[in-house]
Amino acid sequence: MIRKLLQSSLVGLLSLNIGALGAAEVKPEDAVEYRQSVYTLIKWNFAPIGAMVKGQVPYDAAAVARHAAFLETLSKMPLEGFTPGSDVGDTKAKPEIWKNRQEFEKLMGDFQEQVNKLNQVAGSGSQTAVKEQFGATAKSCKNCHDKFRKE
Ligand code: HEC
Protein backbone atom coordinates (compact mmCIF):
# COMPACT_ATOMS: atom_id res chain seq x y z
CA MET A 1 0.00 0.00 0.00
CA ILE A 2 2.69 2.43 1.06
CA ARG A 3 4.71 1.27 -1.87
CA LYS A 4 1.75 1.94 -4.17
CA LEU A 5 1.27 5.39 -2.68
CA LEU A 6 4.94 6.17 -3.05
CA GLN A 7 4.84 4.94 -6.58
CA SER A 8 1.87 7.04 -7.55
CA SER A 9 3.31 10.16 -5.93
CA LEU A 10 6.52 9.52 -7.84
CA VAL A 11 4.52 9.32 -11.02
CA GLY A 12 2.79 12.50 -9.95
CA LEU A 13 6.11 14.23 -9.37
CA LEU A 14 7.40 13.05 -12.70
CA SER A 15 4.41 14.39 -14.56
CA LEU A 16 4.62 17.62 -12.56
CA ASN A 17 8.13 17.95 -13.82
CA ILE A 18 7.06 17.36 -17.38
CA GLY A 19 4.29 19.90 -16.83
CA ALA A 20 6.83 22.44 -15.59
CA LEU A 21 9.00 21.78 -18.61
CA GLY A 22 5.98 22.30 -20.84
CA ALA A 23 5.22 25.61 -19.13
CA ALA A 24 8.78 26.77 -19.76
CA GLU A 25 8.12 26.42 -23.47
CA VAL A 26 6.50 29.21 -25.43
CA LYS A 27 2.79 29.81 -24.76
CA PRO A 28 0.61 29.58 -27.89
CA GLU A 29 -0.60 33.17 -27.50
CA ASP A 30 3.00 34.42 -27.31
CA ALA A 31 3.90 32.50 -30.48
CA VAL A 32 0.87 34.00 -32.25
CA GLU A 33 1.84 37.49 -31.13
CA TYR A 34 5.43 36.95 -32.20
CA ARG A 35 4.68 35.78 -35.74
CA GLN A 36 1.98 38.43 -36.29
CA SER A 37 4.48 41.07 -35.16
CA VAL A 38 7.08 39.77 -37.61
CA TYR A 39 4.53 39.89 -40.45
CA THR A 40 3.64 43.45 -39.42
CA LEU A 41 7.32 44.38 -39.79
CA ILE A 42 7.48 42.55 -43.11
CA LYS A 43 4.53 44.52 -44.43
CA TRP A 44 6.01 47.76 -43.10
CA ASN A 45 9.15 47.19 -45.18
CA PHE A 46 7.51 45.59 -48.21
CA ALA A 47 4.68 48.07 -48.88
CA PRO A 48 6.88 51.15 -49.54
CA ILE A 49 8.84 49.24 -52.20
CA GLY A 50 5.50 48.45 -53.87
CA ALA A 51 4.39 52.07 -53.72
CA MET A 52 7.66 53.14 -55.37
CA VAL A 53 7.69 50.58 -58.18
CA LYS A 54 4.06 51.41 -58.93
CA GLY A 55 4.95 55.09 -59.17
CA GLN A 56 2.69 56.12 -56.29
CA VAL A 57 5.62 57.80 -54.57
CA PRO A 58 8.96 58.92 -56.02
CA TYR A 59 11.54 56.17 -56.38
CA ASP A 60 14.24 56.30 -53.72
CA ALA A 61 16.96 53.70 -54.35
CA ALA A 62 18.48 54.08 -50.88
CA ALA A 63 15.12 53.47 -49.21
CA VAL A 64 14.50 50.41 -51.42
CA ALA A 65 17.91 48.99 -50.48
CA ARG A 66 17.30 49.58 -46.77
CA HIS A 67 13.83 47.99 -46.77
CA ALA A 68 15.04 45.05 -48.85
CA ALA A 69 17.94 44.42 -46.47
CA PHE A 70 15.58 44.44 -43.48
CA LEU A 71 13.25 42.08 -45.35
CA GLU A 72 16.00 39.58 -45.94
CA THR A 73 16.51 39.23 -42.19
CA LEU A 74 12.80 39.38 -41.39
CA SER A 75 11.98 36.62 -43.88
CA LYS A 76 13.91 34.18 -41.70
CA MET A 77 11.89 34.97 -38.60
CA PRO A 78 8.25 33.86 -38.96
CA LEU A 79 8.80 30.09 -39.18
CA GLU A 80 9.86 29.55 -35.57
CA GLY A 81 6.68 31.34 -34.44
CA PHE A 82 4.52 28.48 -35.76
CA THR A 83 5.10 26.36 -32.66
CA PRO A 84 3.24 23.08 -32.08
CA GLY A 85 -0.26 23.72 -30.71
CA SER A 86 -0.33 27.42 -31.60
CA ASP A 87 -3.21 27.06 -34.05
CA VAL A 88 -5.50 28.42 -31.32
CA GLY A 89 -6.75 31.79 -30.11
CA ASP A 90 -6.59 35.04 -32.03
CA THR A 91 -4.88 33.68 -35.12
CA LYS A 92 -5.53 33.45 -38.82
CA ALA A 93 -3.14 30.55 -39.23
CA LYS A 94 -4.97 27.53 -40.64
CA PRO A 95 -4.57 24.17 -38.85
CA GLU A 96 -3.30 22.81 -42.21
CA ILE A 97 0.07 24.42 -41.37
CA TRP A 98 0.64 21.75 -38.73
CA LYS A 99 -0.88 18.94 -40.80
CA ASN A 100 1.04 19.77 -43.94
CA ARG A 101 4.23 21.16 -42.50
CA GLN A 102 6.38 20.18 -45.45
CA GLU A 103 4.33 22.21 -47.90
CA PHE A 104 4.22 25.17 -45.50
CA GLU A 105 7.98 25.15 -45.05
CA LYS A 106 8.45 24.85 -48.81
CA LEU A 107 6.38 28.00 -49.38
CA MET A 108 8.33 29.73 -46.61
CA GLY A 109 11.55 28.73 -48.40
CA ASP A 110 10.24 30.06 -51.76
CA PHE A 111 9.42 33.35 -50.07
CA GLN A 112 12.89 33.61 -48.52
CA GLU A 113 14.43 32.95 -51.92
CA GLN A 114 12.36 35.69 -53.57
CA VAL A 115 13.23 38.17 -50.82
CA ASN A 116 16.88 37.25 -51.20
CA LYS A 117 16.68 38.08 -54.92
CA LEU A 118 14.83 41.30 -54.13
CA ASN A 119 17.67 42.34 -51.87
CA GLN A 120 20.17 41.54 -54.62
CA VAL A 121 18.43 43.59 -57.32
CA ALA A 122 17.78 46.42 -54.85
CA GLY A 123 21.52 46.94 -54.80
CA SER A 124 21.82 46.80 -58.60
CA GLY A 125 20.08 50.13 -59.08
CA SER A 126 17.81 48.78 -61.84
CA GLN A 127 14.29 49.99 -61.19
CA THR A 128 12.87 47.56 -63.75
CA ALA A 129 14.54 44.61 -62.03
CA VAL A 130 13.22 45.74 -58.65
CA LYS A 131 9.72 46.09 -60.07
CA GLU A 132 9.80 42.58 -61.52
CA GLN A 133 11.21 41.06 -58.37
CA PHE A 134 8.71 42.92 -56.20
CA GLY A 135 5.97 41.17 -58.20
CA ALA A 136 7.57 37.76 -57.79
CA THR A 137 7.94 38.31 -54.04
CA ALA A 138 4.34 39.47 -53.65
CA LYS A 139 3.28 36.29 -55.41
CA SER A 140 5.18 34.21 -52.86
CA CYS A 141 3.27 35.96 -50.05
CA LYS A 142 -0.02 35.27 -51.81
CA ASN A 143 0.81 31.61 -52.51
CA CYS A 144 1.13 30.99 -48.79
CA HIS A 145 -1.78 33.19 -47.70
CA ASP A 146 -4.13 31.48 -50.18
CA LYS A 147 -3.31 28.11 -48.76
CA PHE A 148 -2.48 28.62 -45.11
CA ARG A 149 -4.09 31.85 -43.90
CA LYS A 150 -7.75 32.29 -43.06
CA GLU A 151 -9.70 35.09 -44.75
C1 HEC B 1 4.84 30.56 -45.74
C2 HEC B 1 3.64 31.34 -45.44
C3 HEC B 1 3.60 32.82 -45.52
C4 HEC B 1 4.32 33.68 -46.29
C5 HEC B 1 5.40 33.36 -47.31
C6 HEC B 1 3.86 35.01 -45.99
N1 HEC B 1 2.88 34.95 -45.04
FE1 HEC B 1 1.91 36.54 -44.25
N2 HEC B 1 0.92 35.29 -42.97
C7 HEC B 1 0.97 33.91 -43.00
C8 HEC B 1 0.12 33.37 -41.96
C9 HEC B 1 -0.12 31.90 -41.67
C10 HEC B 1 -0.43 34.48 -41.30
C11 HEC B 1 -1.41 34.42 -40.10
C12 HEC B 1 -0.59 34.49 -38.81
C13 HEC B 1 -1.46 34.42 -37.57
O1 HEC B 1 -2.51 35.13 -37.52
O2 HEC B 1 -1.11 33.70 -36.64
C14 HEC B 1 0.09 35.67 -41.96
C15 HEC B 1 -0.23 36.96 -41.59
C16 HEC B 1 0.21 38.10 -42.24
C17 HEC B 1 -0.16 39.46 -41.88
C18 HEC B 1 -1.09 39.85 -40.74
C19 HEC B 1 -0.31 40.01 -39.44
C20 HEC B 1 -1.24 40.35 -38.26
O3 HEC B 1 -1.00 41.36 -37.59
O4 HEC B 1 -2.17 39.58 -38.01
C21 HEC B 1 0.46 40.29 -42.77
C22 HEC B 1 0.38 41.81 -42.81
C23 HEC B 1 1.23 39.46 -43.68
N3 HEC B 1 1.06 38.13 -43.32
C24 HEC B 1 1.99 39.94 -44.72
C25 HEC B 1 2.81 39.15 -45.51
C26 HEC B 1 3.64 39.68 -46.59
C27 HEC B 1 3.68 41.13 -47.03
C28 HEC B 1 4.32 38.62 -47.10
C29 HEC B 1 5.30 38.61 -48.21
C30 HEC B 1 6.24 39.70 -48.36
C31 HEC B 1 3.88 37.43 -46.35
N4 HEC B 1 2.98 37.80 -45.41
C32 HEC B 1 4.36 36.15 -46.58
C33 HEC B 1 1.72 33.15 -43.84
C34 HEC B 1 2.66 33.63 -44.74
Side-chain angles (χ1 to χ4, degrees):
M1 175 69 185
I2 286 179
R3 211 194 155 99
K4 267 241 164 89
L5 261 175
L6 262 176
Q7 250 173 15
S8 66
S9 56
L10 252 181
V11 169
L13 268 177
L14 273 177
S15 55
L16 250 181
N17 247 332
I18 291 164
L21 268 180
E25 284 166 13
V26 178
K27 288 188 217 141
E29 60 268 34
D30 290 346
V32 170
E33 196 184 347
Y34 166 76
R35 67 199 185 216
Q36 290 177 345
S37 304
V38 174
Y39 282 124
T40 301
L41 297 181
I42 287 175
K43 185 182 170 194
W44 176 269
N45 286 284
F46 193 57
I49 301 178
M52 285 186 258
V53 297
K54 288 171 197 154
Q56 293 160 352
V57 296
Y59 195 83
D60 174 347
V64 168
R66 180 166 49 88
H67 289 305
F70 286 154
L71 281 169
E72 175 143 15
T73 302
L74 288 167
S75 72
K76 298 178 182 124
M77 295 182 175
L79 186 61
E80 69 188 68
F82 292 91
T83 56
S86 64
D87 57 334
V88 291
D90 190 12
T91 178
K92 288 194 169 167
K94 285 191 184 168
E96 279 75 13
I97 291 170
W98 289 268
K99 288 178 202 138
N100 196 355
R101 190 73 179 188
Q102 219 177 350
E103 170 73 5
F104 182 70
E105 289 191 9
K106 191 199 159 287
L107 292 179
M108 194 67 91
D110 290 348
F111 158 68
Q112 288 165 344
E113 206 180 303
Q114 296 307 327
V115 170
N116 192 297
K117 285 186 189 156
L118 182 65
N119 194 22
Q120 277 170 29
V121 295
S124 77
S126 160
Q127 216 168 305
T128 318
V130 170
K131 186 173 183 171
E132 244 170 52
Q133 192 50 36
F134 174 84
T137 309
K139 198 162 173 287
S140 75
C141 311
K142 191 176 181 297
N143 284 346
C144 186
H145 290 167
D146 285 353
K147 192 148 196 196
F148 291 112
R149 189 176 73 164
K150 291 178 205 162
E151 288 301 311

